[in-house]
Amino acid sequence: MKHRQQAIASVYRSYIREIRRLPHAYLRRVFRLKAEDGCRAALLTKCDERRTGKLKRVSKTIQQLRAANNGNHQAFNRILDLAYGRVGRLRWELMEPLLSDPNVPLPPPIIPSKESSRPPVYSQELTALLTSGLSRRKRPLVPGDLSFPPILPERADPNSSDAQILGPFSKRREVNARWKYFGQEWKKVLPPLQISVLPSRKVGDQGSDLDTPTAVRKIGFDGTTVLEELVQLTTKTSGAFLQRRWLRRRYQELLGRLPILTFISAQTKKPGGFSVSLAPNALKARSQGRSLPCATDEDVAWNQKASGEHVRH
């Protein structure tokens, strides 16, 4: 028992030493909590094999912190992703509220009298994130992909020629396909830290904002200054062990993986909705938007003609 406590205490001290070297207070707070949770879980585990496994995971995190503090690019990006919910448990906690919409009635079951056959609900927030290239690990979806997933065959549409020739598609298979598509696509989304609000400015007698939405959900870091502090770190940083320019670059890359979800209040002629953007200092490390369309025969002929004229000259 005493030997077990000493081993865990040694790991915890090593963890704290690396945490103290981290350049910013938010990172130190996050990994201090992570160290306490990890070491406490190992201490309370009675099974030697499971405790050894938990200590190995803790030691792996310590190695990542040590590499990050020594200037390893990939290791520092990894601890930033952990601290700001790009990966790990925090990512799930940020995404979970967006996977349902309590303000929207449940869709009818695809299979009558089978409650479990209801299709998934795409909330307005999730729809905005899925259809934007700024919040996706892959290319964005189009709205039609949400109503009729591309993994469904044409036969799933009862008005299609395939359905009329081959007969209706299995309802159970349709339910499974819709939920499979929902699960695999939301997992490609980079979650926002919070939902911002951009109200329409209609100034009353006292100069107050009217029509400001009250039903916008509070998620993640709403009510904190975590996002604002992160943006500031891309312009001015301080670090005892790492170069300031190198640190700013890492935070700019992080902002490129951190979409900002904003609710825009309804205007006179435009309904309200959600938009996705990146911070001005974000470093866009991946291609945004859709790929270019394939060249037509006319495009190819024009290109060949232009190339021939260039050779003659």
Side-chain angles (χ1 to χ4, degrees), residues 17-161:
R17 279 196 296 270
E18 294 303 328
I19 290 173
R20 288 171 179 166
R21 297 178 62 198
L22 290 173
H24 303 114
Y26 173 75
L27 292 179
R28 292 192 288 270
R29 288 197 303 269
V30 169
F31 282 95
R32 166 79 71 160
L33 292 173
K34 191 174 179 65
E36 293 174 356
D37 291 343
C39 291
R40 185 182 297 110
L43 188 62
L44 296 176
T45 302
K46 297 181 180 180
C47 176
D48 292 340
E49 185 177 353
R50 292 184 60 191
R51 183 174 58 255
T52 301
K54 291 181 179 181
L55 283 178
K56 283 184 178 180
R57 288 193 292 271
V58 172
S59 298
K60 183 178 180 180
T61 304
I62 296 174
Q63 293 173 1
Q64 290 178 341
L65 288 175
R66 185 176 295 117
N69 285 325
N70 291 335
N72 183 282
H73 180 172
Q74 293 181 345
F76 199 87
N77 281 351
R78 178 67 180 180
I79 69 168
L80 287 180
D81 286 344
L82 284 169
Y84 289 92
R86 306 304 88 195
V87 296
R89 183 190 304 175
L90 181 56
R91 178 176 181 270
W92 162 249
E93 293 175 353
L94 291 172
M95 281 298 303
E96 185 180 16
L98 307 181
L99 301 182
S100 60
D101 193 342
N103 299 320
V104 174
L106 292 176
I110 295 177
I111 304 174
S113 73
K114 288 284 187 179
E115 288 295 319
S116 61
S117 68
R118 295 184 188 273
V121 175
Y122 292 88
S123 65
Q124 294 185 48
E125 299 93 335
L126 182 60
T127 298
L129 295 170
L130 288 171
T131 55
S132 172
L134 302 176
S135 53
R136 292 266 299 175
R137 299 182 186 276
K138 302 292 184 179
R139 70 174 188 175
L141 305 180
V142 296
D145 293 337
L146 308 183
S147 58
F148 194 87
I151 64 174
L152 280 175
E154 290 295 328
R155 186 181 169 191
D157 180 5
N159 298 321
S160 66
S161 58

Side-chain angles (χ1 to χ4, degrees), residues 11-310:
V11 171
Y12 181 72
R13 285 193 294 269
S14 299
Y15 212 145
I16 296 301
R17 279 196 296 270
E18 294 303 328
I19 290 173
R20 288 171 179 166
R21 297 178 62 198
L22 290 173
H24 303 114
Y26 173 75
L27 292 179
R28 292 192 288 270
R29 288 197 303 269
V30 169
F31 282 95
R32 166 79 71 160
L33 292 173
K34 191 174 179 65
E36 293 174 356
D37 291 343
C39 291
R40 185 182 297 110
L43 188 62
L44 296 176
T45 302
K46 297 181 180 180
C47 176
D48 292 340
E49 185 177 353
R50 292 184 60 191
R51 183 174 58 255
T52 301
K54 291 181 179 181
L55 283 178
K56 283 184 178 180
R57 288 193 292 271
V58 172
S59 298
K60 183 178 180 180
T61 304
I62 296 174
Q63 293 173 1
Q64 290 178 341
L65 288 175
R66 185 176 295 117
N69 285 325
N70 291 335
N72 183 282
H73 180 172
Q74 293 181 345
F76 199 87
N77 281 351
R78 178 67 180 180
I79 69 168
L80 287 180
D81 286 344
L82 284 169
Y84 289 92
R86 306 304 88 195
V87 296
R89 183 190 304 175
L90 181 56
R91 178 176 181 270
W92 162 249
E93 293 175 353
L94 291 172
M95 281 298 303
E96 185 180 16
L98 307 181
L99 301 182
S100 60
D101 193 342
N103 299 320
V104 174
L106 292 176
I110 295 177
I111 304 174
S113 73
K114 288 284 187 179
E115 288 295 319
S116 61
S117 68
R118 295 184 188 273
V121 175
Y122 292 88
S123 65
Q124 294 185 48
E125 299 93 335
L126 182 60
T127 298
L129 295 170
L130 288 171
T131 55
S132 172
L134 302 176
S135 53
R136 292 266 299 175
R137 299 182 186 276
K138 302 292 184 179
R139 70 174 188 175
L141 305 180
V142 296
D145 293 337
L146 308 183
S147 58
F148 194 87
I151 64 174
L152 280 175
E154 290 295 328
R155 186 181 169 191
D157 180 5
N159 298 321
S160 66
S161 58
D162 286 358
Q164 295 174 3
I165 296 173
L166 302 175
F169 186 65
S170 167
K171 296 296 184 182
R172 175 52 60 189
R173 291 179 61 189
E174 179 181 350
V175 172
N176 294 341
R178 287 183 179 276
W179 277 103
K180 178 182 177 181
Y181 187 73
F182 178 80
Q184 71 184 21
E185 292 304 320
W186 79 253
K187 291 177 182 177
K188 300 174 185 176
V189 168
L190 297 168
L193 293 182
Q194 62 192 53
I195 299 179
S196 305
V197 177
L198 184 63
S200 59
R201 185 68 178 175
K202 293 183 180 180
V203 181
D205 295 337
Q206 303 298 325
S208 60
D209 286 338
L210 304 180
D211 296 339
T212 299
T214 58
V216 175
R217 289 189 280 180
K218 309 297 183 183
I219 68 166
F221 292 89
D222 184 78
T224 70
T225 58
V226 170
L227 181 58
E228 290 77 5
E229 292 173 358
L230 177 57
V231 173
Q232 291 177 1
L233 289 173
T234 62
T235 58
K236 51 182 180 180
T237 58
S238 60
F241 302 98
L242 299 171
Q243 295 182 0
R244 295 181 180 181
R245 182 179 178 183
W246 188 89
L247 280 175
R248 288 197 299 269
R249 186 78 170 184
R250 302 289 78 77
Y251 280 105
Q252 288 171 350
E253 290 176 352
L254 173 62
L255 286 178
R257 304 189 296 273
L258 207 160
I260 298 175
L261 184 62
T262 305
F263 180 84
I264 303 175
S265 299
Q267 305 291 330
T268 304
K269 298 182 179 180
K270 296 181 179 180
F274 290 91
S275 67
V276 181
S277 61
L278 293 178
N281 295 332
L283 187 63
K284 306 177 183 65
R286 60 186 183 279
S287 175
Q288 306 298 338
R290 292 186 172 275
S291 57
L292 293 175
C294 297
T296 63
D297 294 339
E298 294 180 356
D299 295 331
V300 173
W302 180 88
N303 187 44
Q304 292 176 343
K305 181 180 179 181
S307 301
E309 292 177 353
H310 177 73

